[in-house]
Amino acid sequence: MCARAGEALTTSRVTDRAAASLVSFGSHAGPFGLLLTVYLATACLSTLVGSKATVIVLYSVVRQIAEAEVPRGQLVVTLLVGASSNFMTPFGYQTNLMVWRPGGYAFEDFSRFGAPLTLVVGLVTCLLCRVLA
């Protein structure tokens, strides 16, 4: 079932357009900028649809982005970490929902603390991918 969703996106050329958009937006800052763009797109999408669905949708895009200057392994690690970075909304992850109301948190609390945390995790992830790979 999951493979079919990826195949459908590839066949309909949605992944071509998404990959072209990400590359045109992120490649101006070099390989690091492309990794950061993939991370941010993945993190934002995972707050809306969940991490598993995000990986299924964006893996096909990452396969097409892989270039000589950014190896596929770095893009995949960035994709996986980005999909796991569900810090910005209370419904991004199950435990966020569990503590949202009982803890007295407001929706804005997750955004206020989650957005900077997501950015820091993204910068560290992209930096480590470039340095260690």
Side-chain angles (χ1 to χ4, degrees):
M1 180 77 166
C2 295
R4 291 182 186 163
E7 289 175 21
L9 290 171
T10 303
T11 303
S12 64
R13 304 190 59 86
V14 170
T15 57
D16 292 340
R17 291 182 183 150
S21 297
L22 288 175
V23 168
S24 69
F25 186 75
S27 63
H28 298 294
F32 184 84
L34 186 56
L35 284 174
L36 190 60
T37 301
V38 168
Y39 172 84
L40 291 174
T42 305
C44 290
L45 185 60
S46 72
T47 62
L48 301 173
V49 297
S51 57
K52 293 175 187 170
T54 300
V55 170
I56 291 168
V57 169
L58 289 182
Y59 179 70
S60 300
V61 174
V62 165
R63 279 193 336 211
Q64 295 193 5
I65 290 177
E67 300 173 348
E69 60 188 58
V70 182
R72 184 183 289 182
Q74 291 180 13
L75 288 165
V76 169
V77 168
T78 303
L79 173 74
L80 295 176
V81 174
S84 299
S85 300
N86 300 326
F87 310 125
M88 292 188 284
T89 61
F91 47 85
Y93 195 68
Q94 299 90 337
T95 52
N96 293 1
L97 275 175
M98 292 169 59
V99 301
W100 182 16
R101 293 290 181 209
Y105 297 108
F107 187 89
E108 297 81 29
D109 295 333
F110 286 92
S111 300
R112 187 175 336 128
F113 295 106
L117 180 60
T118 300
L119 188 59
V120 168
V121 169
L123 291 171
V124 169
T125 299
C126 296
L127 181 68
L128 289 176
C129 280
R130 294 300 296 163
V131 169
L132 298 178

